mmCIF file of all heavy atoms in Angstrom:
data_model
loop_
_atom_site.group_PDB
_atom_site.id
_atom_site.type_symbol
_atom_site.label_atom_id
_atom_site.label_comp_id
_atom_site.label_asym_id
_atom_site.label_seq_id
_atom_site.Cartn_x
_atom_site.Cartn_y
_atom_site.Cartn_z
ATOM 1 N N THR A 1 -25.495 -2.487 -16.228
ATOM 2 C CA THR A 1 -25.118 -3.781 -16.547
ATOM 3 C C THR A 1 -23.871 -3.674 -17.467
ATOM 4 O O THR A 1 -23.807 -3.055 -18.376
ATOM 5 C CB THR A 1 -26.233 -4.453 -17.297
ATOM 6 O OG1 THR A 1 -27.400 -4.642 -16.538
ATOM 7 C CG2 THR A 1 -25.793 -5.862 -17.822
ATOM 8 N N GLN A 2 -22.772 -4.325 -16.911
ATOM 9 C CA GLN A 2 -21.502 -4.132 -17.550
ATOM 10 C C GLN A 2 -20.686 -5.462 -17.715
ATOM 11 O O GLN A 2 -21.053 -6.480 -17.043
ATOM 12 C CB GLN A 2 -20.522 -3.168 -16.708
ATOM 13 C CG GLN A 2 -21.142 -1.917 -16.281
ATOM 14 C CD GLN A 2 -21.130 -0.897 -17.486
ATOM 15 O OE1 GLN A 2 -20.320 -1.035 -18.390
ATOM 16 N NE2 GLN A 2 -21.925 0.217 -17.484
ATOM 17 N N ASP A 3 -19.663 -5.394 -18.589
ATOM 18 C CA ASP A 3 -18.640 -6.535 -18.515
ATOM 19 C C ASP A 3 -17.545 -6.020 -17.523
ATOM 20 O O ASP A 3 -17.208 -4.872 -17.533
ATOM 21 C CB ASP A 3 -18.028 -6.757 -19.855
ATOM 22 C CG ASP A 3 -19.007 -7.468 -20.806
ATOM 23 O OD1 ASP A 3 -20.174 -7.765 -20.506
ATOM 24 O OD2 ASP A 3 -18.693 -7.656 -22.063
ATOM 25 N N ILE A 4 -17.033 -7.071 -16.794
ATOM 26 C CA ILE A 4 -15.903 -6.653 -15.888
ATOM 27 C C ILE A 4 -14.741 -7.510 -16.249
ATOM 28 O O ILE A 4 -14.861 -8.812 -16.027
ATOM 29 C CB ILE A 4 -16.442 -6.870 -14.373
ATOM 30 C CG1 ILE A 4 -17.546 -5.899 -14.077
ATOM 31 C CG2 ILE A 4 -15.316 -6.533 -13.438
ATOM 32 C CD1 ILE A 4 -18.829 -6.562 -14.216
ATOM 33 N N LEU A 5 -13.635 -6.935 -16.440
ATOM 34 C CA LEU A 5 -12.412 -7.765 -16.733
ATOM 35 C C LEU A 5 -11.536 -7.742 -15.400
ATOM 36 O O LEU A 5 -11.214 -6.653 -14.921
ATOM 37 C CB LEU A 5 -11.655 -7.090 -17.965
ATOM 38 C CG LEU A 5 -10.274 -7.714 -18.270
ATOM 39 C CD1 LEU A 5 -10.621 -9.205 -18.692
ATOM 40 C CD2 LEU A 5 -9.589 -7.062 -19.404
ATOM 41 N N ILE A 6 -11.114 -8.871 -14.966
ATOM 42 C CA ILE A 6 -10.332 -8.911 -13.791
ATOM 43 C C ILE A 6 -9.014 -9.700 -14.100
ATOM 44 O O ILE A 6 -9.047 -10.731 -14.737
ATOM 45 C CB ILE A 6 -11.044 -9.731 -12.650
ATOM 46 C CG1 ILE A 6 -12.262 -9.170 -12.356
ATOM 47 C CG2 ILE A 6 -10.132 -10.009 -11.324
ATOM 48 C CD1 ILE A 6 -13.178 -9.991 -11.378
ATOM 49 N N GLU A 7 -7.859 -8.967 -13.961
ATOM 50 C CA GLU A 7 -6.486 -9.476 -14.298
ATOM 51 C C GLU A 7 -5.724 -9.431 -12.933
ATOM 52 O O GLU A 7 -5.612 -8.368 -12.341
ATOM 53 C CB GLU A 7 -5.974 -8.643 -15.343
ATOM 54 C CG GLU A 7 -6.684 -8.760 -16.668
ATOM 55 C CD GLU A 7 -6.085 -7.923 -17.745
ATOM 56 O OE1 GLU A 7 -6.111 -6.730 -17.744
ATOM 57 O OE2 GLU A 7 -5.577 -8.548 -18.763
ATOM 58 N N ASN A 8 -5.008 -10.554 -12.733
ATOM 59 C CA ASN A 8 -4.204 -10.661 -11.509
ATOM 60 C C ASN A 8 -4.895 -10.318 -10.195
ATOM 61 O O ASN A 8 -4.310 -9.675 -9.332
ATOM 62 C CB ASN A 8 -2.839 -9.839 -11.623
ATOM 63 C CG ASN A 8 -2.055 -10.309 -12.991
ATOM 64 O OD1 ASN A 8 -1.867 -11.612 -13.228
ATOM 65 N ND2 ASN A 8 -1.562 -9.359 -13.707
ATOM 66 N N GLY A 9 -6.170 -10.728 -10.205
ATOM 67 C CA GLY A 9 -7.013 -10.415 -9.007
ATOM 68 C C GLY A 9 -7.572 -9.035 -8.848
ATOM 69 O O GLY A 9 -8.119 -8.738 -7.954
ATOM 70 N N ALA A 10 -7.254 -8.166 -9.761
ATOM 71 C CA ALA A 10 -7.762 -6.785 -9.640
ATOM 72 C C ALA A 10 -8.610 -6.385 -10.924
ATOM 73 O O ALA A 10 -8.420 -6.954 -12.006
ATOM 74 C CB ALA A 10 -6.576 -5.721 -9.624
ATOM 75 N N ILE A 11 -9.557 -5.458 -10.745
ATOM 76 C CA ILE A 11 -10.525 -5.026 -11.811
ATOM 77 C C ILE A 11 -9.570 -4.101 -12.759
ATOM 78 O O ILE A 11 -9.246 -2.965 -12.316
ATOM 79 C CB ILE A 11 -11.657 -4.280 -11.164
ATOM 80 C CG1 ILE A 11 -12.420 -5.282 -10.265
ATOM 81 C CG2 ILE A 11 -12.532 -3.830 -12.309
ATOM 82 C CD1 ILE A 11 -13.561 -4.573 -9.523
ATOM 83 N N SER A 12 -9.447 -4.578 -13.951
ATOM 84 C CA SER A 12 -8.730 -3.744 -14.898
ATOM 85 C C SER A 12 -9.491 -2.950 -15.829
ATOM 86 O O SER A 12 -9.130 -1.964 -16.364
ATOM 87 C CB SER A 12 -7.709 -4.615 -15.680
ATOM 88 O OG SER A 12 -8.353 -5.691 -16.402
ATOM 89 N N LYS A 13 -10.745 -3.371 -16.042
ATOM 90 C CA LYS A 13 -11.614 -2.680 -17.047
ATOM 91 C C LYS A 13 -13.083 -2.908 -16.616
ATOM 92 O O LYS A 13 -13.567 -4.047 -16.316
ATOM 93 C CB LYS A 13 -11.310 -3.047 -18.394
ATOM 94 C CG LYS A 13 -11.989 -2.262 -19.545
ATOM 95 C CD LYS A 13 -11.538 -2.775 -20.912
ATOM 96 C CE LYS A 13 -12.229 -1.804 -21.995
ATOM 97 N NZ LYS A 13 -11.765 -2.307 -23.375
ATOM 98 N N ILE A 14 -13.945 -1.966 -16.912
ATOM 99 C CA ILE A 14 -15.403 -2.081 -16.791
ATOM 100 C C ILE A 14 -16.015 -1.345 -17.878
ATOM 101 O O ILE A 14 -15.698 -0.183 -18.155
ATOM 102 C CB ILE A 14 -16.058 -1.631 -15.453
ATOM 103 C CG1 ILE A 14 -15.405 -2.348 -14.238
ATOM 104 C CG2 ILE A 14 -17.435 -1.692 -15.375
ATOM 105 C CD1 ILE A 14 -15.860 -1.702 -12.880
ATOM 106 N N ALA A 15 -16.834 -1.991 -18.767
ATOM 107 C CA ALA A 15 -17.383 -1.367 -19.980
ATOM 108 C C ALA A 15 -18.664 -2.198 -20.466
ATOM 109 O O ALA A 15 -18.818 -3.334 -19.959
ATOM 110 C CB ALA A 15 -16.336 -1.428 -21.119
ATOM 111 N N ASN A 16 -19.347 -1.545 -21.349
ATOM 112 C CA ASN A 16 -20.610 -2.250 -21.782
ATOM 113 C C ASN A 16 -20.369 -3.450 -22.465
ATOM 114 O O ASN A 16 -21.033 -4.502 -22.354
ATOM 115 C CB ASN A 16 -21.324 -1.222 -22.767
ATOM 116 C CG ASN A 16 -21.956 -0.081 -22.091
ATOM 117 O OD1 ASN A 16 -22.296 -0.163 -20.960
ATOM 118 N ND2 ASN A 16 -22.071 1.116 -22.745
ATOM 119 N N SER A 17 -19.194 -3.562 -23.101
ATOM 120 C CA SER A 17 -18.786 -4.818 -23.861
ATOM 121 C C SER A 17 -17.327 -4.898 -23.945
ATOM 122 O O SER A 17 -16.597 -3.894 -24.281
ATOM 123 C CB SER A 17 -19.472 -4.780 -25.252
ATOM 124 O OG SER A 17 -19.062 -6.101 -25.908
ATOM 125 N N ILE A 18 -16.941 -6.018 -23.452
ATOM 126 C CA ILE A 18 -15.313 -6.291 -23.597
ATOM 127 C C ILE A 18 -15.035 -7.510 -24.238
ATOM 128 O O ILE A 18 -15.665 -8.637 -23.943
ATOM 129 C CB ILE A 18 -14.639 -6.383 -22.066
ATOM 130 C CG1 ILE A 18 -15.073 -5.077 -21.247
ATOM 131 C CG2 ILE A 18 -13.123 -6.574 -22.194
ATOM 132 C CD1 ILE A 18 -14.607 -5.193 -19.748
ATOM 133 N N LYS A 19 -14.180 -7.486 -25.272
ATOM 134 C CA LYS A 19 -13.773 -8.776 -26.028
ATOM 135 C C LYS A 19 -12.794 -9.464 -25.289
ATOM 136 O O LYS A 19 -11.817 -8.835 -24.750
ATOM 137 C CB LYS A 19 -13.319 -8.314 -27.445
ATOM 138 C CG LYS A 19 -14.337 -7.753 -28.349
ATOM 139 C CD LYS A 19 -13.865 -7.352 -29.734
ATOM 140 C CE LYS A 19 -14.975 -6.787 -30.600
ATOM 141 N NZ LYS A 19 -14.354 -6.520 -32.000
ATOM 142 N N ASN A 20 -12.891 -10.705 -25.274
ATOM 143 C CA ASN A 20 -11.949 -11.568 -24.642
ATOM 144 C C ASN A 20 -10.835 -11.938 -25.483
ATOM 145 O O ASN A 20 -10.572 -13.176 -25.910
ATOM 146 C CB ASN A 20 -12.761 -12.951 -24.154
ATOM 147 C CG ASN A 20 -12.057 -13.755 -23.133
ATOM 148 O OD1 ASN A 20 -10.866 -13.249 -22.633
ATOM 149 N ND2 ASN A 20 -12.677 -14.804 -22.689
ATOM 150 N N THR A 21 -9.979 -10.975 -25.807
ATOM 151 C CA THR A 21 -8.795 -11.279 -26.590
ATOM 152 C C THR A 21 -7.681 -12.078 -26.141
ATOM 153 O O THR A 21 -6.998 -12.834 -26.836
ATOM 154 C CB THR A 21 -8.255 -9.845 -27.067
ATOM 155 O OG1 THR A 21 -7.806 -9.200 -25.814
ATOM 156 C CG2 THR A 21 -9.277 -8.938 -27.763
ATOM 157 N N LYS A 22 -7.717 -12.175 -24.819
ATOM 158 C CA LYS A 22 -6.647 -13.006 -24.076
ATOM 159 C C LYS A 22 -7.251 -14.435 -23.754
ATOM 160 O O LYS A 22 -6.394 -15.220 -23.076
ATOM 161 C CB LYS A 22 -6.088 -12.258 -22.892
ATOM 162 C CG LYS A 22 -5.423 -10.904 -23.290
ATOM 163 C CD LYS A 22 -4.701 -10.358 -22.112
ATOM 164 C CE LYS A 22 -4.024 -9.025 -22.532
ATOM 165 N NZ LYS A 22 -3.477 -8.266 -21.267
ATOM 166 N N LYS A 23 -8.520 -14.680 -24.123
ATOM 167 C CA LYS A 23 -8.990 -15.952 -23.915
ATOM 168 C C LYS A 23 -9.038 -16.307 -22.435
ATOM 169 O O LYS A 23 -8.684 -17.460 -22.068
ATOM 170 C CB LYS A 23 -8.388 -17.068 -24.711
ATOM 171 C CG LYS A 23 -8.359 -16.796 -26.364
ATOM 172 C CD LYS A 23 -8.573 -18.002 -27.063
ATOM 173 C CE LYS A 23 -8.571 -17.768 -28.598
ATOM 174 N NZ LYS A 23 -9.487 -16.767 -29.077
ATOM 175 N N TYR A 24 -9.359 -15.417 -21.589
ATOM 176 C CA TYR A 24 -9.542 -15.670 -20.120
ATOM 177 C C TYR A 24 -10.813 -16.563 -19.902
ATOM 178 O O TYR A 24 -11.710 -16.625 -20.862
ATOM 179 C CB TYR A 24 -9.669 -14.434 -19.413
ATOM 180 C CG TYR A 24 -8.373 -13.592 -19.228
ATOM 181 C CD1 TYR A 24 -8.473 -12.169 -19.157
ATOM 182 C CD2 TYR A 24 -7.227 -14.128 -19.384
ATOM 183 C CE1 TYR A 24 -7.427 -11.336 -19.111
ATOM 184 C CE2 TYR A 24 -5.983 -13.299 -19.282
ATOM 185 C CZ TYR A 24 -6.105 -12.007 -19.115
ATOM 186 O OH TYR A 24 -4.960 -11.283 -19.104
ATOM 187 N N LYS A 25 -10.919 -17.150 -18.785
ATOM 188 C CA LYS A 25 -12.057 -17.761 -18.314
ATOM 189 C C LYS A 25 -13.283 -16.767 -18.399
ATOM 190 O O LYS A 25 -13.008 -15.607 -17.832
ATOM 191 C CB LYS A 25 -11.899 -18.493 -16.914
ATOM 192 C CG LYS A 25 -13.201 -18.985 -16.420
ATOM 193 C CD LYS A 25 -12.994 -19.418 -14.836
ATOM 194 C CE LYS A 25 -14.281 -19.831 -14.169
ATOM 195 N NZ LYS A 25 -14.810 -21.129 -14.759
ATOM 196 N N GLU A 26 -14.442 -17.105 -18.878
ATOM 197 C CA GLU A 26 -15.594 -16.291 -18.861
ATOM 198 C C GLU A 26 -16.607 -16.773 -17.993
ATOM 199 O O GLU A 26 -16.820 -17.954 -17.784
ATOM 200 C CB GLU A 26 -16.126 -16.214 -20.302
ATOM 201 C CG GLU A 26 -15.422 -15.215 -21.241
ATOM 202 C CD GLU A 26 -16.267 -14.908 -22.510
ATOM 203 O OE1 GLU A 26 -17.565 -15.086 -22.508
ATOM 204 O OE2 GLU A 26 -15.648 -14.530 -23.604
ATOM 205 N N ILE A 27 -17.268 -15.809 -17.346
ATOM 206 C CA ILE A 27 -18.338 -16.014 -16.429
ATOM 207 C C ILE A 27 -19.645 -15.367 -16.979
ATOM 208 O O ILE A 27 -19.801 -14.160 -17.035
ATOM 209 C CB ILE A 27 -18.222 -15.588 -14.975
ATOM 210 C CG1 ILE A 27 -17.132 -16.277 -14.284
ATOM 211 C CG2 ILE A 27 -19.417 -15.850 -14.132
ATOM 212 C CD1 ILE A 27 -16.568 -15.854 -12.855
ATOM 213 N N LYS A 28 -20.512 -16.230 -17.467
ATOM 214 C CA LYS A 28 -21.779 -15.661 -18.112
ATOM 215 C C LYS A 28 -22.932 -16.497 -17.466
ATOM 216 O O LYS A 28 -22.994 -17.704 -17.835
ATOM 217 C CB LYS A 28 -21.648 -15.873 -19.647
ATOM 218 C CG LYS A 28 -22.724 -15.053 -20.247
ATOM 219 C CD LYS A 28 -22.563 -14.942 -21.838
ATOM 220 C CE LYS A 28 -23.567 -14.034 -22.515
ATOM 221 N NZ LYS A 28 -23.306 -14.036 -23.956
ATOM 222 N N LEU A 29 -23.765 -15.922 -16.857
ATOM 223 C CA LEU A 29 -24.816 -16.783 -16.118
ATOM 224 C C LEU A 29 -26.077 -15.862 -16.159
ATOM 225 O O LEU A 29 -26.218 -14.594 -16.242
ATOM 226 C CB LEU A 29 -24.467 -16.767 -14.513
ATOM 227 C CG LEU A 29 -23.161 -17.547 -14.240
ATOM 228 C CD1 LEU A 29 -22.520 -17.192 -12.832
ATOM 229 C CD2 LEU A 29 -23.416 -19.058 -14.386
ATOM 230 N N GLU A 30 -27.228 -16.617 -15.948
ATOM 231 C CA GLU A 30 -28.633 -16.083 -16.039
ATOM 232 C C GLU A 30 -28.858 -14.976 -15.020
ATOM 233 O O GLU A 30 -28.677 -15.272 -13.958
ATOM 234 C CB GLU A 30 -29.567 -17.202 -15.990
ATOM 235 C CG GLU A 30 -31.021 -16.815 -16.154
ATOM 236 C CD GLU A 30 -32.086 -17.792 -15.923
ATOM 237 O OE1 GLU A 30 -31.592 -18.934 -15.681
ATOM 238 O OE2 GLU A 30 -33.249 -17.545 -15.935
ATOM 239 N N ASN A 31 -29.338 -13.871 -15.612
ATOM 240 C CA ASN A 31 -29.695 -12.766 -14.661
ATOM 241 C C ASN A 31 -28.614 -12.456 -13.641
ATOM 242 O O ASN A 31 -28.856 -12.246 -12.387
ATOM 243 C CB ASN A 31 -31.013 -13.115 -13.949
ATOM 244 C CG ASN A 31 -31.690 -11.879 -13.380
ATOM 245 O OD1 ASN A 31 -31.483 -10.727 -13.804
ATOM 246 N ND2 ASN A 31 -32.358 -12.037 -12.242
#
């Protein structure tokens, strides 16, 4: 279970927890 950061249509980072420093749209959904 990871956070996935997508920038310009490509996956730029995958980690246990990623801070949304650039205030991108977030997708957080049940299960």
Side-chain angles (χ1 to χ4, degrees):
T1 300
Q2 307 284 342
D3 289 358
I4 299 96
L5 181 63
I6 298 169
E7 297 181 291
N8 299 318
I11 299 171
S12 60
K13 188 175 183 181
I14 300 177
N16 289 331
S17 180
I18 301 173
K19 291 183 178 179
N20 194 2
T21 56
K22 297 182 181 178
K23 307 222 181 301
Y24 291 152
K25 174 184 175 70
E26 280 194 19
I27 297 176
K28 192 170 186 178
L29 299 163
E30 181 184 356
N31 194 29

